[in-house]
Amino acid sequence: MIITTTNSIEGKNILEYRGIVFGEVVSGVNFIKDIAASLSNFFGGRSGSYEDELIKARQNALAEMEQRAASIGANGIVGVDIDYEVLGQDNGMLMVTVSGTAVVTD
């Protein structure tokens, strides 16, 4: 399945629009990752533990969106948008939401 942020797929004709599809993941960041991130913040540098969590959440949200598109007979998704938010009293939750238009192409 082709997934793109553009409104068309080069070399393909969109034959049918099947509707908007979504993928959502809310992921908790545990105590150990918080400590590692705090150390990175204090000493400088990147937080590998947070980056890994973000990558996994984004991949899972994209996979969920792709599965939903396939379930309605689509073979592509155009106009994809990815949003990130932090949630919870202590910002200990990460939410990744992806959305796009499921299409059938030739």
Side-chain angles (χ1 to χ4, degrees):
M1 178 172 301
I2 296 174
I3 300 173
T4 181
T5 58
T6 62
N7 291 322
S8 61
I9 300 171
E10 188 174 337
K12 300 281 186 180
N13 294 310
I14 295 176
L15 305 174
E16 187 178 343
Y17 292 88
R18 293 285 172 107
I20 299 171
V21 287
F22 297 89
E24 303 92 0
V25 171
V26 177
S27 179
V29 181
N30 66 33
F31 180 71
I32 301 301
K33 289 181 184 174
D34 260 354
I35 291 172
S38 295
L39 291 173
S40 293
N41 189 35
F42 182 76
F43 292 109
R46 297 169 61 167
S47 172
S49 57
Y50 277 171
E51 287 177 1
D52 290 345
E53 193 65 38
L54 180 61
I55 290 166
K56 283 188 238 174
R58 184 178 56 239
Q59 289 171 339
N60 289 338
L62 285 166
E64 183 176 290
M65 181 181 66
E66 182 177 357
Q67 179 184 7
R68 289 178 177 168
S71 74
I72 58 173
N75 65 351
I77 305 171
V78 297
V80 172
D81 180 55
I82 303 173
D83 291 313
Y84 304 92
E85 298 288 334
V86 289
L87 306 170
Q89 289 180 337
D90 60 353
N91 292 330
M93 304 291 285
L94 170 67
M95 179 175 69
V96 179
T97 305
V98 295
S99 61
T101 303
V103 296
V104 175
T105 66
D106 57 3

